[in-house]
Amino acid sequence: MAKVKIRPAERDDLPRLTEIYNYYVINTPITFDLKPFSVRQRARWFDEHAGTKRYRMFVAQDAGRVVGYACTGPFRDKAAYDTSVETSVYCAHDEKRRGIGAMLYRVLFDALKNEDIHRLLAGITIPNDASIELHLKFGFTEVGVFSECGRKLDRYWDVVWMQRPLRLGTVP
């Protein structure tokens, strides 16, 4: 297996990023989107998350193939929330439990260290032990659970919200 390389996302990655995300749209409650996206539909999302400053996106590449991504984006559309960003990390469904999510978060959080960000926030559909474990590893703490706040796959799902300050000290 080749060494996984983490790099900033590029527009040419968008088809693969869409493919990775759509797997979770179709097959899991991990995201509350209900219908898969076309690459064209995901272009705006890419532009919102793959900039510089507080909204960034990195991809993990293994043997020339994108196998995951992590990004920050806006939390809410009100100016007072600007220093809080929501984090997301997705790995290709056949690439999970290889440490790729941790590699991505390590690079993403390091890239953000000098930005005007106070809080990193994450909403995780539960159960999702792997994602909760990853976030705990990076210093996130649980702040609450929204019960049955999303309906997908013929049932209601809870979402745990986690947060951490951007500047924690040493990142694992």
Side-chain angles (χ1 to χ4, degrees):
M1 175 177 12
K3 182 172 171 44
V4 174
K5 175 185 173 188
I6 308 297
R7 62 168 175 76
E10 300 169 356
R11 178 62 77 154
D12 288 345
D13 297 323
L14 187 53
R16 178 65 176 147
L17 299 177
T18 303
E19 179 184 343
I20 290 169
Y21 187 72
N22 279 342
Y23 172 85
Y24 293 98
V25 171
I26 295 165
N27 298 293
T28 77
I30 301 272
T31 173
F32 284 173
D33 284 313
L34 300 175
K35 295 179 182 174
F37 289 89
S38 69
V39 172
R40 185 170 174 246
Q41 289 171 316
R42 287 293 271 182
R44 182 171 172 235
W45 164 83
F46 182 89
D47 292 340
E48 289 175 349
H49 292 80
T52 57
K53 306 291 182 196
R54 67 172 55 108
Y55 307 135
R56 306 252 182 122
M57 185 182 318
F58 288 88
V59 299
Q61 192 170 4
D62 187 5
R65 178 176 177 251
V66 172
V67 294
Y69 67 91
C71 60
T72 50
F75 172 61
R76 298 275 174 127
D77 189 25
K78 305 251 189 267
Y81 287 116
D82 282 352
T83 60
S84 294
V85 298
E86 191 168 351
T87 65
S88 293
V89 60
Y90 284 88
C91 293
H93 72 278
D94 56 347
E95 298 285 347
K96 295 186 289 188
R97 294 301 221 179
R98 291 184 52 205
I100 293 168
M103 287 184 253
L104 284 160
Y105 261 3
R106 198 171 291 113
V107 171
L108 176 63
F109 297 163
D110 186 59
L112 296 171
K113 68 183 174 195
N114 295 318
E115 298 304 330
D116 184 23
I117 296 172
H118 183 62
R119 285 281 185 260
L120 302 173
L121 308 168
I124 303 167
T125 305
I126 50 178
N128 188 337
D129 294 342
S131 187
I132 290 171
E133 178 183 312
L134 173 67
H135 286 84
L136 289 171
K137 176 180 179 175
F138 279 86
F140 283 77
T141 58
E142 182 179 326
V143 292
V145 175
F146 292 164
S147 66
E148 298 184 350
C149 62
R151 184 173 65 192
K152 186 174 180 182
L153 303 174
D154 296 323
R155 69 170 269 200
Y156 286 95
W157 298 92
D158 299 345
V159 174
V160 62
W161 280 92
M162 301 182 81
Q163 71 174 8
R164 69 161 262 198
L166 175 61
R167 289 155 196 88
L168 260 184
T170 306
V171 176

